[in-house]
Amino acid sequence: GDGESLGVIDLFSQAVGRLERLARIDSSMTAAGEQAQSLLEQLSDLSRELQDYVENLEFNPERLAEVEERLQLVSNLKRKYGDTAEDVIAYGEKAQTELDELSDWEVKTAALEADEERLLRQIGSLGAALSVARTAAGEQMARQVEKELADLRMAHTRFGLSLEQSAQDDGAILPNGRRVHFDSSGVDRVEFLISTNPGEPLKPMAKVASGGETSRLMLALKSVLAHADATPSLIFDEIDQGIGGRVGSTVGEKLWRLTGQDVENPTSLRHQVICITHLPQLAAYGDLHLSVNKRVYESEGDLRTGTLITALHGDTRLNELTQMLGATTQAGRQSVQEMLDEVAGVKGKERRTAQFA
């Protein structure tokens, strides 16, 4: 009720009172009066439950906004860290464990810094020892390279190595306390130096040597380092520049020795050597002689230019070497044949010597 009109329970209570008075007049209505009384009691109980429910209802717009915000947060977490709430919780526990491990970061940082310094001192010690070994090996290699260059008509050429170290604040710590740059090859920056003329100082090879000199320098280096060099293929282009026939024969022999053929297995090579040359004394040492020529041909009505590569054997090789020598007479052919026989003798002697050893 609202004060002006009676509520359901009040109206029903009036009806029950009237049924009770009616039952006193007509006993047949006694059962109906009792049933009405029971219903009134049930309705009263229901009214009290509804009243309690209404009194306990809380309408709080701020709480609603808080819940919706929380649901949005859960949705964002699931989108970022897992498909389910369990996945999100597991990720959170893992992150908390990592955070706990970082809680003593100052102690761990100090330990890592001490370990870093120890390792940098160790690198510096190894690098310094490597520098000493490099210096000694460089002196020995320089003398051997100069000897090879003398055979290649560069008798007055001096060869040397420059080992430099650059300072770096966080670099390796040398035994003398200096901090220097380092990488996987050590603490040194190695550079080859040469002087091609008497009286001139040693200068970086890359800035001084001409094309032909560079090829011969590389041949000298490869000859000295043949056993240590793991490069499978070596290519020499125009290495015969500026040299004559006698030196050309020496160059050819050195190139052939770079292959390091095994006597018991002639197909086994230490290096594959490819040489582009116009000097017959050098070409005679090749185990395979290829002639490369430019040719013009017609294709679909148009002239095209291509390259023709031909493997030379027997008389065709003899003819090619004769033309390279510039003496196409019978005497020239005889000279080329003698040159090939001399080369075969050198190769055979070398293989017999290696086999005996």
Side-chain angles (χ1 to χ4, degrees), residues 163-175:
L163 272 67
E164 296 182 354
Q165 299 166 352
S166 58
Q168 183 173 317
D169 293 338
D170 58 348
I173 305 174
L174 297 178

Side-chain angles (χ1 to χ4, degrees), residues 240 244-245 248-249 252 277-286 289 317-318 320-327 335-336 339-340 343:
D240 51 21
S249 180
T277 182
H278 298 283
L279 199 63
Q281 289 85 351
L282 197 158
Y285 272 90
H289 191 161
R317 187 186 187 198
L318 183 64
E320 179 69 19
L321 291 173
T322 302
Q323 293 180 14
M324 291 173 68
L325 187 62
S335 296
V336 170
M339 182 171 55
L340 289 173
V343 168

